[in-house]
């Protein structure tokens, strides 16, 4: 296992592995090489449909397959899978609560050079707004694989956000138990809480080390499931540390940060700062350059943490 | 088609019309025009062709039906009630708070509904998805779906048409209810979808064009569809608002309920037609 791997790679590999144990279908829209569903397609061509460049049809076909009683995994770039086909997801998948899993890759700014038209930073916001929908943004390969297996038996629909960018392997396999709907305490701390998901989990771990150098003890939570939100865990850390920095590779509108703000606004207990894309479209550049450009880094998290701490 | 079957199906279609308009009147909203134009297709599917079991509505071996033009569900609800999936009294609660019968088909709450529909184009794709799984796993049941002629203006319909041909879905039969009108007027004046038959042919489908109120023609086309080895489209020339004099071929009856005095006329016409059909069926004429 490399030190870094894109979550889409873990997705494709694990799907093919799980094909033996579970009956499910996989659909793609002419991006099976990119989303890595091609790995499954090669092994199980009888359970794979390439739908061509027709995402709306793909999502509704997935709904039809799911309506016959098996889960259907539909993949494309996040922009098209849940942006273009949003209404199909709403009416054909979420409303009838069918076991369709929209596993979309190339989410966020780390798509890189393709630029704004392909950098979907609003996916969590739109998926989170849908009744019945489970929304997940895993941090690395081990968590992607563990969550994917749970998706085989989850009731109702789900959206899982995957990335193009190779990210650090945060977890060793078997080190933690990942459970949809339950946040993970990556590190305990007493002064401030860093709640992150997706690629920002590794940045939060790095930020924790930087804060420790300043004598600040930060907790790190991996809130991979944005919906349903692990409210108990977040409220516990809100009470314990009084300050939360929420970090995500997503617009600051409607994502993890807003989910936490909404929870805290109703229950009190902490000040919250958000690290994310500040209501802007993306732009062309390499993923690494873009993460710096939008402040989606350990340094970005540290800066907001210090503000909250008045330092 | 045997004479007795034909007379029975005519009676069923007439009753579907009567119950549909009664339900829409009770709801004070709904879509009478397109519900009336599909009565024979629905009657044929639910009272002759499809293998379904009201006592076991989720039987995995059942034939599937997807009303892609979901707004015409009063006709489908009427047929399901008549077939025994639920009590006819549910029709009186259509579109009201807490009712099982939603304004558009809801597979979660309504026994016998195989797919939630209402947003045009999506049901057709879902029907293709069902057929795709059945085909891959050698399941013997078939999928039937009804699209509106206005509905096929949705681009998604043609994505699905390509999909069905690509994966050789010879187990799906799609009816196009070509009644000629959509909400804003004649389909040829709003956004001309014609020639519908040539479009489906160009997408690789087997196509037949029939009178959608002729039950024997429906049976023949469905039988042909079942053995043609390709996805099949049956273009049904129909009359929007069929059976209610003032609704026929009048697009303003696409999506509104009759007022009291209008309903009195409609009810009389539909009841008389039903009583005659019932009498004919009883007497074997």
């Amino acid at each position: 296992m490399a030190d870094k791997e894109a979550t889409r790679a873990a997705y494709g590999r694990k799907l093919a592995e799980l094909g033996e144990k579970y009956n499910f279908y996989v659909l793609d829209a002419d991006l099976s090489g990119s989303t890595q569903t091609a790995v499954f397609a090669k092994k199980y061509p009888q359970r794979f449909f390439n739908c061509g460049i027709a995402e709306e049809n793909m999502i509704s076909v997935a709904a039809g397959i799911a309506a016959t009683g098996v889960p259907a995994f539909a993949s494309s770039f996040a922009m098209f899978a849940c942006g273009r086909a949003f209404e199909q997801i709403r009416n054909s998948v979420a409303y009838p609560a069918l076991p369709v899993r929209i596993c979309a890759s190339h989410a966020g700014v780390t798509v890189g050079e393709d630029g704004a038209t392909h950098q979907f930073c609003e996916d969590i916001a739109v998926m989170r707004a849908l009744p019945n929908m489970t929304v997940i943004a895993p941090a690395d390969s081990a968590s992607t694989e563990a969550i994917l297996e749970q998706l085989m038996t989850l009731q109702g629909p789900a959206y899982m956000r995957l990335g193009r960018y190779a990210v650090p392997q945060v977890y060793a396999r078997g080190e933690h138990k990942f459970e949809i709907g339950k946040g993970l305490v990556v590190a305990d701390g007493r002064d401030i809480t860093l709640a992150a998901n997706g690629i920002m989990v590794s940045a939060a771990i790095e930020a924790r080390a930087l804060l420790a150098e300043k004598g600040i003890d930060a907790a790190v939570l991996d809130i991979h499931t944005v919906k349903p939100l692990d409210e108990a865990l977040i409220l516990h850390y809100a009470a314990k540390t009084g300050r939360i920095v929420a970090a995500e590779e997503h617009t600051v509108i409607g994502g993890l940060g807003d989910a936490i703000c909404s929870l805290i606004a109703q229950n009190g207990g902490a000040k919250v700062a958000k690290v994310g894309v500040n209501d802007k479209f993306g732009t062309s550049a390499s993923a690494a350059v873009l993460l710096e450009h939008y402040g989606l880094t350990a340094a970005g998290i540290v800066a907001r943490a210090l503000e909250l701490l008045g330092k | 088609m045997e004479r007795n079957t034909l007379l029975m199906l005519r009676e069923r279609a007439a009753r579907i019309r009567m119950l549909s308009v009664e339900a829409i009147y009770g709801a004070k909203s709904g879509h009478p025009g397109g519900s009336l134009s599909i009565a024979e297709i629905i009657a044929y599917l639910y009272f002759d062709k499809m293998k379904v079991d009201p006592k076991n509505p989720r039987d995995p071996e059942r034939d599937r039906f997807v009303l892609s033009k979901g707004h015409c569900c009063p006709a489908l609800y009427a047929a399901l009630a008549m077939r025994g999936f639920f009590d006819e009294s549910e029709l009186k609660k259509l579109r009201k708070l807490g009712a099982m019968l939603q304004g558009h088909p809801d597979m979660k709450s309504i026994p016998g509904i195989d797919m939630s529909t209402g947003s045009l184009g999506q049901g057709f794709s879902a029907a293709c998805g069902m057929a795709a799984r059945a085909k891959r796993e050698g399941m013997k049941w078939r999928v039937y779906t009804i699209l509106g002629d206005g509905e096929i203006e949705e681009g998604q319909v043609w994505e699905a048409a390509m999909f069905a041909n690509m994966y050789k879905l010879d187990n799906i039969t799609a009816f196009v209810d070509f009644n000629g009108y959509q909400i804003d007027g004649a389909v040829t004046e709003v956004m001309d979808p014609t020639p519908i038959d040539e479009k489906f042919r160009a997408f690789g489908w087997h196509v037949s064009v029939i009178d959608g109120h002729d039950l024997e023609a429906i049976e023949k086309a469905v039988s042909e569809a079942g053995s043609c080895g390709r996805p099949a489209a049956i273009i049904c020339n129909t009359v929007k608002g069929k059976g209610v004099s003032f609704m026929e071929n009048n697009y303003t009856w696409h999506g509104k309920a009759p007022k009291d005095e209008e309903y009195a006329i409609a009810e009389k016409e539909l009841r008389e037609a039903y009583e005659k059909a019932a009498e004919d069926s009883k007497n074997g004429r």
Side-chain angles (χ1 to χ4, degrees), chain A residues 168-257:
Chain A
Q169 298 299 291
V170 179
Y171 310 113
R173 279 191 186 75
E175 179 191 7
H176 297 287
K177 187 168 179 289
F178 292 95
E179 194 180 335
I180 291 171
K182 294 281 178 214
L184 182 74
V185 181
V186 179
D188 198 8
R190 62 175 186 276
D191 298 328
I192 191 164
T193 301
L194 312 177
N197 63 20
I199 67 165
M200 295 307 287
V201 173
S202 63
I205 292 168
E206 206 183 314
R208 181 178 193 270
L210 295 171
L211 289 166
E213 289 171 11
K214 298 177 190 293
I216 297 160
D217 184 21
V220 176
L221 306 181
D222 178 348
I223 308 295
H224 47 76
T225 308
V226 185
K227 187 184 179 183
L229 192 66
D230 189 345
E231 299 187 347
L233 181 70
I234 292 165
L235 289 174
H236 173 77
Y237 272 88
K240 182 173 178 176
T241 66
R243 298 168 186 87
I244 300 173
V245 177
E248 58 193 322
E249 186 201 0
H250 183 270
T251 171
V252 292
I253 297 171
L256 174 66

Side-chain angles (χ1 to χ4, degrees), chain A residues 82-83 86 120 122-130 133 135 250 253-254:
Chain A
C82 74
F86 171 75
F120 197 31
E122 304 91 45
D123 54 331
I124 302 290
V126 294
M127 290 295 106
R128 202 182 136 235
L130 293 175
M133 187 62 78
V135 181
H250 183 270
I253 297 171

